[in-house]
Amino acid sequence: MLLKREDVQARTITEDGRIFMEKAARDGLETVWDRYRAQQPQCGFCELGLSCRNCSMGPCRIDPFGEGPQRGVCGADADIIVARNLGRMIAAGSASHSDHGRDLVEVLRKVGEGKAPGYGIRSEEKLRKLASELGVSEDGQSVEALAVAVAEALEEEFGTRKKALAFVGRVPEKRRRIWEKLGITPRGIDRETSEMMHRTHMGVDNDWKSLLLHGLRNALSDGWGGSLIATEVSDILFGIPQPVASEVNLRVLKEDQVNIVLHGHNPIVSEMIFQAAQDPELMGLAEEKGARGINLAGLCCTGNELLMRRGIPMAGNHLMTELALSTGLIDMMLVDYQCIMPALGETARCYHTRMVSTSDKAKYPFMEHREFHPENARDLARDLVREAVENFVRRIPAKVLSPPGAPVKMMAGFSVEAIVSALGGSAGPLIDAIKSGAIQGAVGVVGCNNPKIRHDYGHVTLTTRLIENDVLVVDTGCAAVAHAKAGLKVPEAAEKAGPGLRQVCRALGIPPVLHMGSCVDNVRIFDLAAALAHALGTDISDLPLAAAAPEWYSEKAVSIACYAVASGVYTVLGTPPPIFGSQNIVKLLTEDLEGLLGASFAVEPDPARAADLILERIRAKRAALGL
Amino acid sequence: MERILVRWERCVGCRSCELACRVAHSASGDLFSAVLERPAPSRRIYVEQADKTPSPFLCRQCEDAPCVRSCPTRALAHDETTGLVAYEPARCIGCHGCVMACPFGMIQPDVREGFIAKCDRCKGRDRPACVEACPTHTLVLEKDFLDLRRKEAVRNLVQSGNPV
Amino acid sequence: MGKEGRSRVRTVCPYCAVGCHVDLLVEEGRAVGLDYATDSPVNGGNLCAKGNAVLDLLDHPDRLRTPLRRTASGWEAVGWDEALDWAAERIGTIRDRHGPDALGFLSSAKCTNEENYLLQKLARLLGSNNVDHCARLCHASTLTGLAPVLGMGAATNPLHDLAQARCLFLVGSNPAENHPVAFQWVREAKDKGAVVIVADPRKTPTAWIADLHLPVRPGTDIALLHAMLHVILREGLEDKAFIRSRTTGFERTVRAVRDTAPEWAQSVTGVPAGDILRAARLFARTRPGALIYCMGITQHHNGTQAVRACANLALATGNVGRPGSGLIPVRGQDNVQGACDMGALSALLPGYRPVADPQARAAMEALWGCPPGTIPDRPGLTVTEMEAEAGRTLRALVAMGENPAVTSPAGGRVAEGLERLDFFLAIDLFLTESARSAHLVLPAAAWAEKSGSKTSADRRVQWSPRAVLPPGDARPDAWIITRLARRLGLGAHFPCESPEDVLREINRAVPAYGGITPERIREAPGGIHWPCPRQDHPGTPVLFEKTFATADGRARFFPVSFDPPPESPDADYPLCLTTGRVTAHYNSGSMTRRTPALLELSPELFVEVHPEDAARLGFSEGSRVRVVTRRGAVEASAYLSSAVARGVVFAPFHFPGTNRLTLDVVDPEARIPAFKAAACRLEPL
Amino acid sequence: MEPFLFVDFSRCIACQACWAACRREHGGVSRLHLLCFQEAAVPLACRQCRKAPCAGFCPEGALVQEEGRGVKFLEERCTHCGLCAAACPFGVLEIVPGPVPDLSRCDLCRRRWEEGLMPVCVLTCPTRALSLDAGGAVGRRRRAQPAAFPVS
């Protein structure tokens, strides 16, 4: 499986990526790119969203060229099928984020009940803030009791008894009225997902417009529900992120240290691993085994969670997960859930790496399953770190390749609170900078990696273009890691920004691209946007903001994009979503939503052109505001 | 030119070949744009449920072709060099005789280039779009077909437990 | 339905026995056009060439518009009263003078059930069983052949059921030309992958789609069928369970085919033994299979035997009594089935009860309210016998819609016989070849000019309502018969005024029609298949699903023996003449030869000859030739085609002359003439 | 797609129903001809050519190609020169002599067509040898092919 140099070049813009892609090929590994190539050509019906497997009268397909069948067996036409498929993608994405949130709420309750040794309330301030938002009385309650009460109130958010989610209160008044008018105010997190699965069952909602509207509601139940709970409770349990310096790329894996890599999305497990890795006894053991310490490194969003709060270095983003294994340096990889390629277990068998799955709901081939619960987390984490240390000696020298050079420096930890504090305690200076034009606008560049797009190229090209035009970029998830690898996340990167933004960055000592967390943390961006809108007494959609997901792949990204647009943020997608089989739906999503929500979607695979679309948008919004 | 042969037993009816054929014969050459073209680009390969199994059918480029014989203007003619039944739109009067004559149903009336749509084995392409698009390698070029058949035959022989 | 004042009336096509619906567009009592009954469950709107030309029969310039009496100086138009009075007087006188057996009645498969019922009733009330109709000439052998085998002689399955068959074996049947609309179901079956086997001396359009064509020598079908049965038994392909549980008499049939190997059959039939073997295996292995036969089987000196040979093959393979299978004689005329059902047969009363059965006679006499003993206990004369006796013991003949001078064998002699009658009354649409010999001709109404029920080949009883007015003074046959009967003093027995009233009487007279009331049948879009004994009975599309109509409920195998046609080619008459239909014409041609479109398609008598035979005899396409048999000679133009085998000559029977050539032999049981095989020679002119 | 009379030769049984129907519909002159051969028959009528030679040859512009509706005949321009009949490769265009010479050419029963009715030949054909649905007919032909030859 030898690779041509031009293949490697075409696959990624990252240097470490290229080196280890070749290494992986030499080691006989099959990577995500190989599998993508083997899948070519991919099914055009599915690419267009025109295939339906919802029931066993099917599967059905609609001929996009009009000659073949125009209806499925049940009679659903292209519009209905595309809408149903999109609806189910949203439901899956929303369910993923929300289930992640629920797991954290469970830990919060256990902490309050004293059944989660090792866990605690790191941010009492946030706990109290949430309590007041949720209408939980703090009077005379201990922190533990309050934690239980807040957890209970949050559990209610998942249910079916509400007219609106509690956190809808954070949304500007104007926006809330828009949602009410369209009937898309989210009511219960699980309810909306469950209702979507119901509506998309054969013979339920067959009006593509109302299906899509419910899709927006389902997405809002994620953005202002599930994801938001995940972020806020993580902050309560593990602390509100503060600016922190760290490093990124495969070179953060150290040949002379025990390397434990944390992959997935939920910080519950990895926070315990982090604690265990600080244990002097285990550090001693590591030295005993000839290692100079225990090195924790992150992949994907579990990595981002720990980076944001603990400053651990990042080995890479989604497409780097297999290549990280090919260093031969990882003594243990712990995974929780989401975006963990099922291939990883088998890939790791080529090396000494121990693969451990930790979640009761996520098991993988060729991985050891060591289930974490709040009750056993601390002890199990210690056991696992010990085992990782013991595995250090089993490295296979012939298969080890130490990444040459040094890692790239980065800054992370820009929670809303951290940004406000960096601004001197209020959003005022940011508003002023926007008003003055020093900062033209702000864009959230988020999302995954996708082998359909040259690795990191979409993110880095788009973001570079934006900051050059004095647009502040905030990011999360795999996009954030891509930017960090490209060196855009150090204060010195201000030099790459346009003059206005450069000046602001220099003045505040911040990079032009601010890392706001993992992909559930996208809600931080909307929190900030809502705060700005409040401050200006206007709606989110009136602000010079936009969002972009240049390399998205997952169903979660679909949910995010939908709650972004529903929240009033113009969103540009790099990978075409499977909607192009219905011109009605394309028109609705890319044009008609503008009139309903003040925001819409655009699809633009070329990141440079995507940047132009965004800049044009920002200019228009600024003009509308009279700036 | 190498013929396109069909390993019928492998077809799963995904219709990828049909889509690829249309895209290859569209103005833009790209799926997402091709679906917007009007008139819609036509296909020249047909996946049909024949005798309970899905199978792709395409022009067999007959040597003594009924469509050629039915053509009053020689718009269809057997091309000696390529071995294809070639269609010359400029000569076509659109009488549909070939559509009726083809016993396999491989010619359809069309409105884009000329008045019929018939497999041209993807002019200017090394490998026809359908062959490239086929995920199960049901559609293969003649040499590959024979090569694969031989390999299959040998594998079956070996697996039969009676190696040579 | 479109224009103001225009109505659309659904009628049943007057031609063949498929029973197609034709929608007439009617304005002020006149047909102004026809349209396709696309929603019809019978034909789905399809029509054949004849069906398309059907309007030409209405208002045709040749139509009889008034009663005509023959005088020394020619035809004299008379009023109805005068005509009927005279007819009654003549019939009455002849009956008084010569006895009722001197009267003969030719009923008609072209007339409705009600009319046939009335005419046979008239004959029998006059004390004569001399009532018969042209079923005698086409499918009498089906009745005699199948009645003892299955219990009744009718198609076991509806025609559209052919589409469900996996194998279709057509013997002496050419639906593509003769019943084109019915051929759609053969085609549909073939589309679904059915095997089609055609045994026919000619490669007819039916055979074009055949997987296997067996060009059998005319008159040797029994040898072919025997050889197939021989193969099936030899190879154990018979349906043993069916034979065991539902039939009797199998062993004797096994013995009868012991020596009929394909090799023997090859020498007799001219069909290669290998093809016979293949046909047998295909038919036995591909089930359900339908066996369709037609006049290629029935019109032989041994027609009854040939029908039974077909039945043996179908029974041995279990192909009776289930959908998609069956033994299907395709009837020729629109109501030949119904005319038989109505007892327009010399030996059978309505409902197929033999005249010899005292109980049957008594029941009918009670129903009719006539004195016991009115109906004679001996079978009367058949069509051919009446023709032979015409002017001898038979002194008066009433012919309703029949043209025996053309349709009967040795037609020349028939015409002479008609001339000798004391009184010949013809009731018809046109002054046919036969009617020219009549003393009195009464103008009848055509199909759309009268109401009535008709029974198609597959026992489907349909109502065809009156749509238009008859031309001139023409009257429905039922009206004529009733008026004649009243003048003959039988008014008390003919109380019915409308076809509906007559059908209500039929409901009581014919058990299988018991539930087919006028009210029900007028509302049934696809008619009702008899047997339908009760009002709440849905009808019976497929016969014998559980039991056969025989006394013990089992089908009976009949050993059949093969004997070669009475006349084989010899030095003087070296060719074999066979007859049949062409797609443009119908029966004697009295209707179709008066239709310009159809006459344009097929203007004159022709003989189809193999090109090699023609070359040897020295004539070419279009030449005039004389066809000569021991019975007569006619001129025709030659049509060269390799569709006929070498040594075989085909002539359509729609033109006067063909039947002068055919054999003067009848099947001993069915009394059906052997039209299908005669030795002939061709003389170029 | 512009309709044309699709003829499936393999289904024709020479029953002449189409001919008789056409003749009746068009005042005693059939615009459709049934050609019979030894073991096949072919109904032949105007093919509704998309670039019709008859229209191309007409010096008076009496036959014009109407987009979406086939060839249209403008009677007032016709001089009965007969070039159109000579130009037709199929011999299905005929000048019918008479006091007012007429052009006899299958127009797919345009009069019925305007009332939403099918041409009479299509309706009457018992074996579906004639249809206006070329796509469907061609598709049926494809499906009629034996799919897989046995490979064990």
Side-chain angles (χ1 to χ4, degrees), chain D:
Chain D
M1 197 199 305
E2 283 173 46
F4 64 94
L5 193 65
F6 183 91
V7 183
D8 191 337
F9 318 125
S10 66
R11 302 183 77 87
C12 180
I13 53 169
C15 78
Q16 303 277 11
C18 51
W19 180 91
C22 186
R23 187 185 186 279
R24 183 182 55 73
E25 177 70 15
H26 299 109
V29 181
S30 176
R31 299 169 179 190
L32 178 147
H33 309 267
L34 187 76
L35 279 78
C36 295
F37 300 93
Q38 209 62 256
E39 287 191 21
V42 180
L44 188 72
C46 174
R47 292 278 186 75
Q48 318 295 340
C49 295
R50 301 291 309 280
K51 199 164 78 187
C54 57
F57 273 75
C58 179
E60 304 296 331
L63 285 163
V64 287
Q65 198 96 33
E66 249 190 319
E67 194 50 48
R69 298 188 65 183
V71 174
K72 189 182 182 184
F73 176 51
L74 303 168
E75 195 190 330
E76 64 280 7
R77 294 196 190 164
C78 177
T79 59
H80 315 116
C81 71
L83 265 180
C84 51
C88 175
F90 307 106
V92 290
L93 194 141
E94 221 173 319
I95 304 267
V96 184
V100 185
D102 191 16
L103 198 64
S104 164
R105 169 187 154 267
C106 166
D107 58 0
L108 300 174
C109 292
R110 188 181 277 230
R111 183 186 64 77
R112 293 174 58 85
W113 191 250
E114 281 159 5
E115 291 173 30
L117 299 167
M118 295 285 261
V120 291
C121 56
V122 172
L123 279 180
T124 205
C125 178
T127 58
R128 284 190 290 135
L130 298 171
S131 73
L132 289 188
D133 175 22
V138 170
R140 274 195 296 281
R141 260 189 208 176
R142 289 196 295 265
R143 288 190 287 281
Q145 299 192 52
F149 51 81
V151 176
S152 54

Side-chain angles (χ1 to χ4, degrees), chain C residues 18 42-43 159-160 162-163 181-189:
Chain C
V18 175
V42 182
N43 58 323
L159 289 171
H160 58 77
L162 293 177
V181 176
F183 192 74
Q184 65 179 294
W185 298 301
V186 178
R187 182 68 239 189
E188 197 180 320

Side-chain angles (χ1 to χ4, degrees), chain A residues 167-179:
Chain A
F167 299 110
V168 166
R170 295 190 188 180
V171 178
E173 179 66 27
K174 273 168 113 176
R175 179 103 331 231
R176 287 209 302 267
R177 279 209 299 275
I178 290 173
W179 292 354

Side-chain angles (χ1 to χ4, degrees), chain C residues 538-597:
Chain C
T540 314
V542 179
L543 289 178
F544 316 132
E545 288 195 285
K546 293 202 173 67
T547 171
F548 288 94
T550 51
D552 58 359
R554 285 167 170 258
R556 187 157 296 119
F557 280 96
F558 272 80
V560 173
S561 58
F562 168 71
D563 56 324
E567 193 178 75
S568 339
D570 53 29
D572 293 337
Y573 299 95
L575 299 168
C576 180
L577 172 72
T578 189
T579 65
R581 292 190 173 113
V582 296
T583 194
H585 289 301
Y586 181 73
N587 276 26
S588 77
S590 65
M591 287 148 76
T592 54
R593 281 186 287 116
R594 285 186 170 84
T595 304

Side-chain angles (χ1 to χ4, degrees), chain C residues 321-344:
Chain C
R322 59 174 85 149
S325 72
L327 200 53
I328 302 173
V330 193
R331 299 307 186 85
Q333 307 189 60
D334 59 337
N335 198 32
V336 68
Q337 181 69 54
C340 293
D341 300 342
M342 292 305 118

Side-chain angles (χ1 to χ4, degrees), chain C residues 55-137:
Chain C
L55 282 187
D56 289 356
L57 293 177
L58 307 171
D59 293 325
H60 191 285
D62 290 358
R63 280 287 294 276
L64 296 168
R65 284 170 162 76
T66 174
L68 296 174
R69 182 160 60 185
R70 192 163 57 156
T71 66
S73 55
W75 293 106
E76 176 199 7
V78 293
W80 273 107
D81 282 337
E82 193 186 342
L84 289 166
D85 285 346
W86 189 54
E89 188 271 323
R90 296 294 296 134
I91 292 169
T93 308
I94 291 166
R95 178 176 180 247
D96 293 345
R97 188 175 303 162
H98 301 282
D101 284 345
L103 305 177
F105 296 83
L106 290 177
S107 196
S108 175
K110 307 282 327 128
C111 290
T112 65
N113 286 328
E114 292 73 22
E115 289 158 348
N116 278 288
Y117 178 81
L118 289 176
L119 190 69
Q120 64 84 28
K121 182 175 170 183
L122 174 63
R124 285 174 169 133
L125 287 174
L126 287 170
S128 173
N129 273 328
N130 294 345
V131 58
D132 212 30
H133 74 287
C134 58
R136 189 65 62 195
L137 307 181

Side-chain angles (χ1 to χ4, degrees), chain A residues 160-209:
Chain A
T160 61
R161 286 163 49 192
K162 303 196 134 198
K163 283 209 168 68
L165 295 181
F167 299 110
V168 166
R170 295 190 188 180
V171 178
E173 179 66 27
K174 273 168 113 176
R175 179 103 331 231
R176 287 209 302 267
R177 279 209 299 275
I178 290 173
W179 292 354
E180 268 156 35
K181 204 171 130 212
L182 292 174
I184 60 170
T185 307
R187 299 159 297 181
I189 297 164
D190 289 348
R191 175 182 183 167
E192 306 306 359
T193 297
S194 182
E195 183 172 321
M196 177 57 89
M197 297 312 285
H198 179 198
R199 281 180 187 241
T200 53
H201 185 280
M202 192 326 253
V204 185
D205 192 353
N206 289 296
D207 176 7
W208 57 271
K209 293 193 202 83

Side-chain angles (χ1 to χ4, degrees), chain C residues 228-288:
Chain C
M228 286 175 66
L229 191 55
H230 174 94
V231 171
I232 289 168
L233 300 181
R234 188 175 73 194
E235 303 193 353
L237 301 174
E238 72 273 22
D239 188 336
K240 298 182 184 69
F242 182 89
I243 294 168
R244 198 178 324 114
S245 63
R246 302 205 52 191
T247 69
T248 58
F250 182 56
E251 293 71 25
R252 284 190 303 154
T253 302
V254 173
R255 283 196 292 277
V257 298
R258 187 170 290 155
D259 301 322
T260 61
E263 293 69 24
W264 163 77
Q266 175 173 343
S267 66
V268 177
T269 63
V271 179
D275 285 352
I276 299 176
L277 193 75
R278 264 184 73 203
R281 289 175 179 162
L282 280 172
F283 185 67
R285 286 179 180 156
T286 324
R287 292 183 201 162

